[in-house]
Amino acid sequence: SRSREPPAVAAAPPAEATMVPPIGTTYHEGEISVQNRMGVADTAKFRSAHQKTFLPEPSQDFFAKRPFVVISALDAEGRMYCSMVATADGSPCLQDVTSKSLVLRAGSLSPKDALRTALVPGTAVGLIGIDFSTRARVRVNSTVSNVAANGDVTLAVEISASHCAQYITQRTWQASPGDKASSEPKGARKAKAVSLSTGSASSQAPGPVASLQDDPVLKHLIDGADTFFIGSSYGRRDGDGDARHGADASNRCGSPGFVRVTGHDTLTFDNYNGNQMYSTLGNITKDPRVGLTFFDWESGEALQISGIAAIDFAPEQQQGGGERVLQVVTVRVDSVRRVPGALPGTWKQSQSRPLVISKKVDESEGVTSFYLKAPALDPRPLAPFISGQHMPVLIKGLNRSYSLSGNPGDDTYRISVKNIGQVSSALHKLQEGDEVTCFPPAGSFGPAALDARSEVDAVVLVAAGVGITPMVSMAYDATRPTAVIHAVKNGKQWPFRAEFRKISAAAPKTMKLRAFLSRPEKKDLAVANAAAHDWEIAARRVRAEDLLQVAKDLGATKPMFCFCGPLPFSAPLMAALEEAGIPAANIKSESFG
């Protein structure tokens, strides 16, 4: 989803797609039912390949550095809750992270947290880690396998998946001055529990009867939220060993108002077009118990809510051009907990700034590059970016992320956008001299993210159509032998052809260029048959053996493959590379469509 518009529901696959989904699925019948209902079952099949029954090395590294994660589980009374697991000093809250398990450090949950006593062997636990500065997120479904005498909780990994940055509000985090590592972190303070009059009693002695509408603090926190976390579950019964039937923790993000108090004991949130896996909604169709957590990013207070969810699959669309709402979920709340100090550290929301379109360049049919510079009234230098990163852009109140396609050494930004979708079409209508509201570059994709000790000795960049945009930046920044594989329909829809030729000629290391045209025109065939010193052209679809061969041509023994394109294009190729023995850790991807 990064770098593109959210995919249209039931969109037809692009011409260069290879419609052979990987075998097997990690979905349960509730998820499959919602996917079928929304007409996205085919896309979801490809996304299933991104879900693993283990924790890949990149995800292990990601979690090993996280000072906080959010977990979800059913408490002793059968209510679903979400909780923040965190350290106050910024040290990792997880330890002994492997492909099959990870350990929640003792004391990383407040003694008063709703889930403190729920984490016993056999408990299904959802877990999500988010780096709000890069907008990277990884989700894990797990089960408690052991609780040590010192309180450490071992979680056995059942399913894991990395997800796109779509809608995530960018924030930075720092440990608060004076915070120290402790077995009882900053969040270990007294929690205040309240029960709504229509609900059951809280597991703690409840406070005064409350109403979401009448409590100004609760209502303000919910109505003003741009982020919350939600836990859900298939409702696994004793003896059920199906890994798909566990708990899930996820996030929801949007402009304030996308979640709101709608009654004495109800709140409602809009569900936008996302990864189309429908894990949360699929769980709700099987077990409507949910847990939601809201954070006051300034005070550090957490609001833990448990309730029963219902889905409206045919909501009325709001007027005024906001995000398209695919479903509306209403939660009847039966328990609320307010936990002061549950959110450690200091949080700051990333600030946008207007940038000026200094130049527009048509790169191919439908694809235009926008060069962005600082305005005269605010001449501060642009923040540096790393090749492979994206930049969130705000147009008409809608947030989209586009890959930065320029040279990381330039003093301007460049995004290259296909004219498709509400926001991209609006962007194409802007002229040189117009301003665009932009947020700081974010993300971590491609060879620039490799550790200095990495043994990767060559990089193969594989893209379909406009998915080539992040690869341009990576090519400029190449420090290893590199190959660029570009699958396009024909010569008219082939952006950056000449630019890659120049990059290749100036590259400090070997750079090979390969193009695969799925529906070439006659003049394209003439070019393909001609001897050329730059692009090698084939009039057919790209195959996995082509990727393995070009890696061999580069002399690689430990190549890294980076994919960007529609899932029907990338998923089968990625699966074939794994079958050929390429480690999953050496296969990176971003997707759209």
Side-chain angles (χ1 to χ4, degrees):
S1 301
R2 183 184 299 167
S3 317
R4 306 306 151 236
E5 289 285 311
V9 174
E16 60 267 23
T18 305
M19 292 297 293
V20 183
I23 298 173
T25 180
T26 53
Y27 303 125
H28 60 66
E29 63 268 28
E31 294 164 319
I32 293 172
S33 174
V34 176
Q35 293 162 6
N36 287 331
R37 181 168 188 163
M38 299 307 299
V40 297
D42 287 340
T43 299
K45 288 178 183 177
F46 290 103
R47 293 201 187 278
S48 180
H50 287 260
Q51 298 199 120
K52 307 295 184 182
T53 55
F54 60 93
L55 199 60
E57 287 184 19
S59 296
Q60 294 175 45
D61 295 340
F62 178 79
F63 278 119
K65 299 173 183 176
R66 300 274 68 76
F68 55 86
V69 296
V70 171
I71 65 170
S72 67
L74 295 170
D75 72 0
E77 297 184 8
R79 283 196 289 262
M80 176 63 70
Y81 280 104
C82 267
S83 297
M84 170 70 80
V85 177
T87 59
D89 66 339
S91 60
C93 64
L94 303 172
Q95 59 189 20
D96 299 333
V97 181
T98 71
S99 64
K100 293 298 185 181
S101 65
L102 41 80
V103 176
L104 298 176
R105 287 174 52 184
S108 55
L109 264 180
S110 165
K112 301 298 183 180
D113 190 279
L115 295 181
R116 179 72 177 194
T117 61
L119 302 183
V120 298
T123 301
V125 178
L127 184 150
I128 185 170
I130 294 184
D131 183 334
F132 281 96
S133 61
T134 66
R135 303 167 82 221
R137 58 174 176 159
V138 180
R139 221 185 73 240
V140 176
N141 297 357
S142 65
T143 296
V144 176
S145 61
N146 182 66
V147 179
N150 69 347
D152 286 351
V153 178
T154 301
L155 301 177
V157 174
E158 295 176 329
I159 293 176
S160 72
S162 299
H163 293 290
C164 69
Q166 193 171 333
Y167 308 122
I168 294 177
T169 301
Q170 197 173 0
R171 285 183 165 88
T172 58
W173 176 87
Q174 287 184 329
S176 297
D179 283 347
K180 297 180 180 180
S182 169
S183 61
E184 185 168 292
K186 188 175 180 179
R189 302 176 183 175
K190 185 176 181 181
K192 179 182 179 182
V194 295
S195 287
L196 303 182
S197 59
T198 58
S200 56
S202 172
S203 57
Q204 279 185 269
V209 172
S211 166
L212 295 180
Q213 287 182 318
D214 296 338
D215 188 319
V217 175
L218 298 184
K219 190 174 188 304
H220 175 75
L221 188 56
I222 295 170
D223 290 351
D226 59 30
T227 301
F228 71 89
F229 291 86
I230 181 168
S232 61
S233 172
Y234 178 91
R236 178 184 289 168
R237 292 177 170 80
D238 290 343
D240 183 353
D242 193 325
R244 298 171 298 178
H245 294 174
D248 179 77
S250 187
N251 66 296
R252 290 294 186 275
C253 301
S255 299
F258 88 108
V259 56
R260 55 213 172 265
V261 172
T262 51
H264 161 72
D265 65 344
T266 58
L267 63 83
T268 298
F269 67 87
D270 298 330
N271 204 55
Y272 304 142
N273 193 24
N275 59 33
Q276 302 180 346
M277 297 164 79
Y278 287 113
S279 299
T280 299
L281 269 57
N283 281 343
I284 291 172
T285 65
K286 304 300 295 183
D287 185 341
R289 293 174 292 180
V290 294
L292 288 74
T293 292
F294 296 83
F295 294 114
D296 185 324
W297 302 96
E298 294 184 4
S299 72
E301 181 175 55
L303 184 65
Q304 293 181 302
I305 291 175
S306 182
I308 303 298
I311 307 168
D312 179 359
F313 283 98
E316 294 183 7
Q317 293 297 311
Q318 77 267 25
Q319 302 299 313
E323 294 286 358
R324 184 186 177 197
V325 178
L326 298 186
Q327 304 90 15
V328 169
V329 180
T330 297
V331 179
R332 179 177 58 79
V333 178
D334 59 26
S335 181
V336 178
R337 286 172 174 261
R338 294 169 62 176
V339 186
L343 188 67
T346 301
W347 296 79
K348 293 183 179 180
Q349 185 170 338
S350 297
Q351 298 300 306
S352 64
R353 65 179 294 195
L355 299 180
V356 175
I357 299 174
S358 61
K359 184 168 59 173
K360 288 178 65 176
V361 176
D362 291 334
E363 305 290 358
S364 68
E365 187 175 86
V367 176
T368 298
S369 284
F370 298 80
Y371 291 75
L372 303 169
K373 68 177 184 178
L377 296 178
D378 182 11
R380 291 174 296 156
L382 301 183
F385 74 95
I386 300 171
S387 61
Q389 286 193 309
H390 63 275
M391 184 171 66
V393 173
L394 190 65
I395 297 180
K396 293 187 176 181
L398 301 178
N399 190 314
R400 295 293 181 269
S401 292
Y402 297 101
S403 290
L404 288 158
S405 62
N407 187 334
D410 290 346
D411 58 0
T412 60
Y413 293 149
R414 183 178 73 175
I415 56 174
S416 304
V417 182
K418 187 172 182 178
N419 189 2
I420 183 172
Q422 181 180 2
V423 177
S424 294
S425 295
L427 185 59
H428 271 253
K429 294 176 182 178
L430 297 180
Q431 303 301 316
E432 294 179 1
D434 289 341
E435 291 188 344
V436 179
T437 300
C438 302
F439 289 87
S444 177
F445 172 50
L450 287 173
D451 187 279
R453 298 166 296 178
S454 172
E455 296 181 346
V456 168
D457 56 3
V459 177
V460 181
L461 307 176
V462 188
V466 75
I468 196 68
T469 51
M471 311 310 192
V472 186
S473 176
M474 293 180 202
Y476 273 116
D477 212 27
T479 59
R480 296 172 172 85
T482 299
V484 179
I485 309 296
H486 196 182
V488 295
K489 183 182 294 184
N490 54 49
K492 293 180 180 178
Q493 299 183 25
W494 186 356
F496 304 111
R497 177 181 178 182
E499 185 166 349
F500 271 113
R501 183 185 301 123
K502 294 178 181 178
I503 296 172
S504 176
K509 300 285 186 177
T510 300
M511 184 171 293
K512 296 183 179 294
L513 307 178
R514 304 282 190 272
F516 292 83
L517 280 60
S518 61
R519 295 184 183 179
E521 298 180 348
K522 288 185 177 180
K523 60 181 179 181
D524 298 327
L525 293 174
V527 173
N529 292 327
H533 65 279
D534 44 39
W535 287 94
E536 292 186 18
I537 303 171
R540 58 175 174 80
R541 301 181 190 276
V542 62
R543 298 188 290 255
E545 48 264 37
D546 298 317
L547 308 183
L548 295 168
Q549 182 60 51
V550 76
K552 183 179 179 180
D553 293 343
L554 291 173
T557 59
K558 296 182 179 179
M560 174 185 185
F561 295 84
C562 298
F563 288 82
C564 189
L567 275 172
F569 166 80
S570 59
L573 292 172
M574 292 166 61
L577 289 179
E578 284 196 57
E579 291 176 3
I582 302 297
N586 282 15
I587 304 173
K588 313 292 184 181
S589 70
E590 286 191 341
S591 63
F592 63 92

